[in-house]
């Protein structure tokens, strides 16, 4: 059985300080467990509710987990819920080693890529995770996350991304100004979302190698980024809403690029 000390240690990873210190994070749910296994993630600890119904799918996942970690424990439902970031625990939780992001922002453009998405101070974890998931859906080549954005391994980001953090190159804590300068030199055309003095995305001629910058939910793109991009673009408004959610705007624009 899992000890109280081990439970307390898992609880530490609900805090960013300890996720950064020990380079570990928490995932929850059977689908996330499957995605992590398929991606070859390194498991530190796995805990599960032994009274949850184990169908063939769940049983097979737990069998696979036993092959990759010895720290594999049943735990009471109330204790599991206490560690969960959700209102109702899905019945399984794991501590996983952070990905080794060997790919730097500068190295990213050494290989030709058609579309790179850059996130400029996306502070809401749900938005960030949804954007990563959306980029995965549309087969974006890479995502860069600025230093002042939400943390990639925040539980809400991980949950909103729904496994997509394992599917595409992601560079967290990136110096995006430096990257944008390098990308421009490398021949990429830089676009950024902006409501004022912007080109309608239906009239935008997207370059073969494009970088799309999505700005902060409240402030938009930073002045320094605004000054360096080649073109400001916007989703046309037909109603009276003041603005679009950053993740929704990102999805609409990426779909336009891909469909064009």
């Amino acid at each position: 059985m899992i000890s109280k000390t081990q439970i307390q240690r898992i609880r530490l990873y609900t805090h960013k300080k300890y996720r950064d210190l020990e380079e570990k994070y928490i995932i929850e749910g059977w689908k996330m467990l499957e995605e992590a296994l398929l991606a070859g993630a390194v498991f530190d600890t796995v805990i599960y509710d032994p009274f949850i119904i184990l169908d063939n799918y769940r049983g097979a996942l737990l069998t696979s987990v036993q092959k990759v970690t010895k720290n594999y424990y049943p735990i009471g439902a109330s204790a599991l819920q206490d560690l969960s970031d959700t209102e109702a625990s899905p019945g399984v939780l794991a501590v996983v080693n952070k990905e080794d992001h060997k790919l730097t922002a500068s190295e990213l453009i050494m290989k030709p890529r058609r579309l790179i998405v850059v996130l400029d101070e996306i502070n809401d974890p749900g938005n960030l995770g949804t954007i990563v998931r959306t980029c995965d859906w549309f087969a974006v080549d890479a995502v860069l996350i600025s230093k002042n954005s939400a943390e990639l391994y925040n539980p809400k980001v991980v949950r909103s991304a729904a496994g997509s953090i394992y599917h595409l190159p992601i560079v967290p804590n990136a110096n995006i100004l430096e990257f944008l300068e390098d990308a421009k030199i490398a021949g990429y055309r830089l676009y950024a979302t902006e409501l004022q003095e912007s080109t309608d995305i239906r009239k935008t001629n997207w370059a073969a190698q494009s970088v799309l910058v999505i700005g902060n939910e409240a402030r938009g793109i930073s002045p320094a980024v605004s000054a360096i991009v080649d073109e400001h673009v916007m989703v046309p408004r037909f109603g009276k809403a003041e603005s679009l959610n950053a993740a929704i705007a990102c999805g609409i624009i990426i779909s336009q690029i891909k469909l064009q």
Side-chain angles (χ1 to χ4, degrees):
M1 295 294 292
I2 190 168
S3 69
K4 290 183 179 180
T5 300
Q6 288 170 307
I7 293 174
Q8 290 169 352
R9 180 170 168 267
I10 293 172
R11 186 173 285 110
L12 292 177
Y13 302 126
T14 62
H15 304 284
K16 182 179 184 300
K17 173 183 176 180
Y18 293 99
R19 291 196 294 269
D20 290 344
L21 185 65
E22 298 197 21
E23 294 289 304
K24 300 180 190 300
Y25 66 103
I26 290 174
I27 63 172
E28 287 192 76
W30 300 97
K31 181 60 178 174
M32 279 299 302
L33 187 68
E34 179 185 26
E35 293 287 356
L37 283 165
L38 290 173
V42 178
F43 287 81
D44 177 274
T45 307
V46 177
I47 54 178
Y48 69 99
D49 180 355
F51 294 104
I52 198 163
I53 297 174
L54 290 180
D55 54 18
N56 290 338
Y57 170 69
R58 292 171 177 172
L61 287 177
L62 289 180
T63 298
S64 297
V65 164
Q66 293 177 59
K67 297 176 181 178
V68 296
T69 180
K70 295 179 181 178
N71 300 322
Y72 163 86
Y73 307 100
I75 188 172
S78 60
L80 186 59
Q81 182 61 57
D82 187 49
L83 294 168
S84 177
D85 188 58
T86 62
E87 290 186 12
S89 170
V92 66
L93 179 151
V95 175
V96 184
N97 288 3
K98 285 186 179 181
E99 304 303 298
D100 185 5
H101 294 283
K102 296 178 180 178
L103 187 66
T104 66
S106 298
E107 293 169 339
L108 190 65
I109 54 178
M110 293 180 181
K111 177 182 176 181
R113 301 173 193 271
R114 293 186 57 81
L115 178 59
I116 298 172
V117 169
V118 173
L119 306 182
D120 182 10
E121 295 188 31
I122 297 296
N123 297 145
D124 182 87
N127 275 342
L128 197 151
T130 301
I131 289 172
V132 170
R133 185 176 183 177
T134 302
C135 289
D136 182 19
W137 178 267
F138 286 106
V140 167
D141 293 297
V143 177
L144 271 78
I145 304 172
S146 72
K147 293 179 179 179
N148 295 326
S149 291
E151 177 208 4
L152 177 61
Y153 294 104
N154 178 296
K156 289 183 175 61
V157 174
V158 174
R159 188 167 64 252
S160 299
S164 290
I165 60 173
Y166 301 120
H167 299 166
L168 71 168
I170 302 174
V171 181
N173 303 312
N175 182 332
I176 63 171
L177 276 178
E178 183 179 290
F179 169 77
L180 292 173
E181 290 171 354
D182 290 345
K184 182 174 279 194
I185 292 171
Y188 285 80
R189 185 165 177 80
L190 313 182
Y191 305 87
T193 53
E194 192 76 82
L195 282 176
Q196 305 299 324
E197 299 180 4
S198 302
T199 306
D200 185 322
I201 58 171
R202 296 170 297 178
K203 300 177 182 178
T204 302
N205 293 315
W206 305 98
Q209 290 185 286
S210 300
V211 173
L212 173 65
V213 185
I214 303 295
N216 176 269
E217 294 90 344
R219 300 182 299 275
I221 59 171
S222 57
V225 169
S226 181
I228 197 173
V229 298
D230 299 301
E231 189 171 353
H232 297 87
V233 298
M234 66 173 290
V235 177
R237 176 170 51 189
F238 299 94
K240 297 180 181 180
E242 181 184 357
S243 61
L244 271 179
N245 171 277
I248 292 174
C250 178
I252 293 170
I253 296 171
I254 294 173
S255 68
Q256 179 71 18
I257 295 171
K258 289 288 185 173
L259 291 172
Q260 189 183 91

